[in-house]
Amino acid sequence: MGAARIVSVLAAVLALPLGTGVAQADPPPAPVFSAGQAQPVFDPADVVREDVWVTAPVDSDHDGQDDLVHAQVVRPRATDAGMKVPVVYQASPYFAGGNDVANHDVDVELSVPDSGRTAAVGVGPHAAPPIRWSYQDYFTARGFAVVYGESLGTGLSTGCPTTGDVNETVGARSVVDWLGGRAPARNEAGAPVTASWSTGHTGMMGVSYNGTLPNAVASTGVAGLETIVPIAAISNWYEYYRNDGAVVAAGGFQGEDTDVLAEYVYTRADRQICRPVIDGLTADQDRVTGDYGPFWDVRNYRNDVGKVHASVLAVHGLNDWNVKTDQVASWYEALKAHGVEHKIWLHQSGHADPISLRRDAWLTTLNKWLSHYLYGIDNGIEREPKATIQREDKSWVDEADWPAPGTRGVKVYPWPGGRAKGTLDARNPVPGRPTMEVLADDASKTVQQLADAASSGNRLLYGTPAVKSSLRLSGTARADLQLSFDRPAANVTVALLDRAPDGKSFVITRGWTDPQNRISPAVTSPIVPGTSYRIEVSLMPKDYVLAAGHRLEFLVASSDHDYTLRPRPGAGLSLDLTRTSLTLPVTGGKPALGF
């Protein structure tokens, strides 16, 4: 397709009064492109809005009928004159609000083998209040239709919410199939309705759960889904609620789990039909062992990354502790490995949409991306630098890709003194016979409190000298610990800190594991107290610049008050420094350490 198309009758058609027909001989209006981007030539208030119910080939509520997905279409009125347009589709479980749900208690003891939110209630069966997204006018003015799809069990859709499983994916995918002419739908009167105005080219995007559904649908390889823009999105639900066997919270939502989230979004009119389904989530999610199994495997979209043909523009906050950075990092690496066209934006905020951070530049990128993949405009977006990263000073840089090219894993080693502060040595580990340092668990204390204590028996802390020049970490750090325990169950938490010259600390990243899952996240293996084990902990991926004069510190603790289950204090951990190391993703490798 050419880089610019201007249709001479466009102004005349748009000037017609509503309801005025267009002569059959007249060509339909079309979008205008400049510099490879769709331009605002349609009145965003002059749209056709319609509600449809798409049949999904799944019966998640077990009522003997295929589920129906309620979708709301907002398209330029010029489509009534014969213009066909691509679609920007947002699927969501949140359009009808949510319910007041209690989270699980996290002040519980850990398992040993062989031994809330508030929002409006759902709407009625015939109510279809308008849905408006902050991007809607922007897209419709430029010749895209916007479609909103309500997830199964929410709002006016039937079926049941199941927090990321196959049924939910099929429900969201059915709208893409309808837009491509491959699935049936009806209107509120029950009459069949087709998307005759659609080109069949669809892009999905959204934030959080609304960004997770694009990952899920793309992993099915559905035809017509040309691109996705997952923002702060999940790619593996196990790693959202678990971490190597440890029950771990989404930041700010201690005690939430798949059943809690399903109950929250369960807003369809029938408030009883999904009770057995949600009860099944409670039973199968396994908050006792935290093991990875079939329940979680179907919620792991990385399993099917080989089916993805849609291009991916991924966006994530480097300080997002709700949907943590491992969700985007692992997904992005898998996409690259399978040859999927990709691009990434990383910013310094948390669980956020970049439109609130860098509006103009973000919309320019998004417009070019969608114009290329949905309208076929050759604007060079796929040849631009793959990574856009916001630095700590809020400036932005474009780079070849992410993690930063030239990054290498560099090992550093803790030396004695961790009760107060030992050192991190980049030259060699502690020599000789085992050198043990001990800590006692106290889940009432946060990692920040432990880091800021001058001395503590509840954590071990090790630090580098002040770096002489800035040090960049790009990617995933890994701790290899040699640990023994005085109880058959314990949490293990590690954190990486930035210590400023004035003594203030900032938690750069952290990670968790259940030592009972040291062999595999899928296997619980008993701990024999007093036996030494090799325990690996991957920290959440980061891109972080440690400023000159600052120190890098490594903290080892047991429970993490803000994220793990919180057993009674007292579990003892012993760390063998002679067999412990921390591998840092250093841009420039070992010569760049500066200490």
Side-chain angles (χ1 to χ4, degrees):
M1 186 178 297
R5 294 188 301 139
I6 303 179
V7 179
S8 60
V9 298
L10 178 60
V13 172
L14 291 179
L16 291 173
L18 299 185
T20 302
V22 177
Q24 210 167 21
D26 290 340
V32 171
F33 297 89
S34 176
Q37 301 185 77
Q39 300 301 301
V41 295
F42 299 98
D43 180 356
D46 190 18
V47 295
V48 175
R49 184 183 289 270
E50 54 189 336
D51 290 87
V52 301
W53 281 259
V54 179
T55 300
V58 66
D59 179 16
S60 62
D61 56 11
H62 308 294
D63 66 351
Q65 302 180 57
D66 284 343
D67 294 339
L68 298 175
V69 176
H70 170 240
Q72 202 166 85
V73 175
V74 182
R75 53 185 170 87
R77 191 170 297 278
T79 53
D80 280 347
M83 181 180 77
K84 290 181 180 290
V85 298
V87 171
V88 181
Y89 165 36
Q90 185 181 53
S92 176
Y94 296 138
F95 291 139
N99 305 301
D100 189 4
V101 186
N103 288 353
H104 292 276
D105 183 12
V106 297
D107 294 309
V108 296
E109 294 307 300
L110 302 178
S111 169
V112 177
D114 301 321
S115 66
R117 301 178 218 179
T118 306
V121 298
V123 296
H126 298 293
I131 301 168
R132 179 172 290 277
W133 185 22
S134 59
Y135 292 92
Q136 178 181 297
D137 290 353
Y138 185 86
F139 290 140
T140 56
R142 288 162 173 78
F144 300 93
V146 173
V147 171
Y148 305 96
E150 292 194 289
S151 292
L152 298 181
T154 75
L156 303 186
S157 295
T158 64
C160 294
T162 47
T163 314
D165 84 338
V166 174
N167 292 336
E168 185 174 84
T169 301
V170 171
R173 187 190 66 192
S174 67
V175 174
V176 178
D177 283 328
W178 174 68
L179 292 167
R182 298 180 301 276
R186 63 171 177 80
N187 60 20
E188 188 173 0
V193 58
T194 63
S196 58
W197 47 267
S198 168
T199 63
H201 299 305
T202 300
M204 291 184 72
M205 69 174 289
V207 180
S208 193
Y209 209 145
N210 303 355
T212 299
L213 288 165
N215 284 342
V217 176
S219 73
T220 70
V222 62
L225 183 63
E226 310 298 341
T227 191
I228 62 172
V229 185
I231 303 170
I234 294 167
S235 60
N236 179 352
W237 283 89
Y238 178 81
E239 291 179 2
Y240 184 63
Y241 287 123
R242 307 287 184 269
N243 206 87
D244 286 339
V247 176
V248 174
F253 297 97
Q254 261 283 34
E256 186 188 284
D257 217 317
T258 64
D259 56 343
V260 175
L261 185 54
E263 184 71 54
Y264 175 73
V265 303
Y266 179 28
T267 51
R268 63 175 286 186
D270 187 332
R271 302 295 296 133
Q272 294 303 315
I273 193 169
C274 294
R275 294 258 58 87
V277 173
I278 296 176
D279 289 345
L281 296 180
T282 303
D284 295 340
Q285 66 195 3
D286 183 9
R287 290 181 64 84
V288 177
T289 72
D291 287 356
Y292 183 92
F295 176 88
W296 295 108
D297 199 51
V298 298
R299 292 168 168 82
N300 183 355
Y301 311 132
R302 298 174 206 159
N303 289 338
D304 295 314
V305 69
K307 299 178 183 178
V308 177
H309 63 78
S311 61
V312 180
L313 170 56
V315 182
H316 219 92
L318 290 165
N319 293 298
D320 190 345
W321 290 101
N322 180 345
V323 178
K324 303 172 191 72
T325 51
D326 59 337
Q327 297 289 341
V328 69
S330 296
W331 183 235
Y332 192 67
E333 283 301 310
L335 292 168
K336 289 193 290 185
H338 284 83
V340 176
E341 291 195 31
H342 57 275
K343 188 174 178 67
I344 192 168
W345 268 50
L346 297 171
H347 57 78
Q348 289 293 325
S349 292
H351 201 58
D353 187 330
I355 198 171
S356 65
L357 305 172
R358 198 189 186 198
R359 179 185 177 88
D360 292 345
W362 166 243
L363 289 176
T364 296
T365 297
L366 182 62
N367 191 357
K368 288 181 70 175
W369 189 266
L370 296 178
S371 294
H372 176 67
Y373 289 105
L374 297 184
Y375 267 113
I377 300 299
D378 183 8
N379 55 25
I381 186 70
E382 78 281 13
R383 297 185 293 275
E384 293 181 0
K386 299 298 184 186
T388 296
I389 303 172
Q390 186 182 32
R391 294 264 51 99
E392 290 75 8
D393 63 1
K394 308 305 181 186
S395 63
W396 294 82
V397 295
D398 291 323
E399 298 187 341
D401 213 333
W402 189 84
T407 297
R408 301 287 183 270
V410 178
K411 284 189 177 183
V412 293
Y413 307 94
W415 279 58
R419 182 176 287 263
K421 188 181 298 181
T423 59
L424 274 181
D425 194 304
R427 296 166 298 177
N428 53 279
V430 175
R433 300 173 61 183
T435 300
M436 311 299 294
E437 299 210 318
V438 301
L439 65 92
D441 188 21
D442 186 348
S444 70
K445 297 176 181 176
T446 68
V447 164
Q448 191 66 61
Q449 288 171 330
L450 294 174
D452 290 341
S455 179
S456 174
N458 305 125
R459 57 89 175 129
L460 299 172
L461 187 63
Y462 308 92
T464 70
V467 296
K468 297 175 183 177
S469 58
S470 61
L471 174 69
R472 181 178 178 184
L473 307 177
S474 184
T476 303
R478 187 187 76 248
D480 293 287
L481 313 173
Q482 193 69 29
L483 284 169
S484 57
F485 308 86
D486 68 1
R487 297 184 186 182
N491 292 309
V492 175
T493 298
V494 297
L496 199 59
L497 311 167
D498 177 343
R499 182 77 62 178
D502 63 3
K504 293 181 179 178
S505 68
F506 171 74
V507 178
I508 300 170
T509 184
R510 62 179 98 192
W512 316 265
T513 195
D514 179 352
Q516 295 180 83
N517 288 85
R518 62 194 175 277
I519 298 172
S520 165
V523 178
T524 291
S525 300
I527 289 174
V528 177
T531 299
S532 182
Y533 298 101
R534 192 70 170 168
I535 307 295
E536 296 183 3
V537 189
S538 291
L539 287 76
M540 294 301 105
K542 292 289 286 189
D543 201 284
Y544 190 83
V545 175
L546 185 75
H550 288 228
R551 303 170 188 269
L552 199 62
E553 295 185 353
F554 174 52
L555 181 145
V556 180
S558 185
S559 297
D560 184 334
H561 177 87
D562 295 321
Y563 292 94
T564 67
L565 298 180
R566 303 190 292 232
R568 288 189 299 270
L573 281 64
S574 298
L575 179 69
D576 180 356
L577 300 184
T578 63
R579 300 172 65 188
T580 291
S581 65
L582 173 67
T583 302
L584 301 171
V586 179
T587 302
K590 192 169 184 178
L593 278 181
F595 59 83

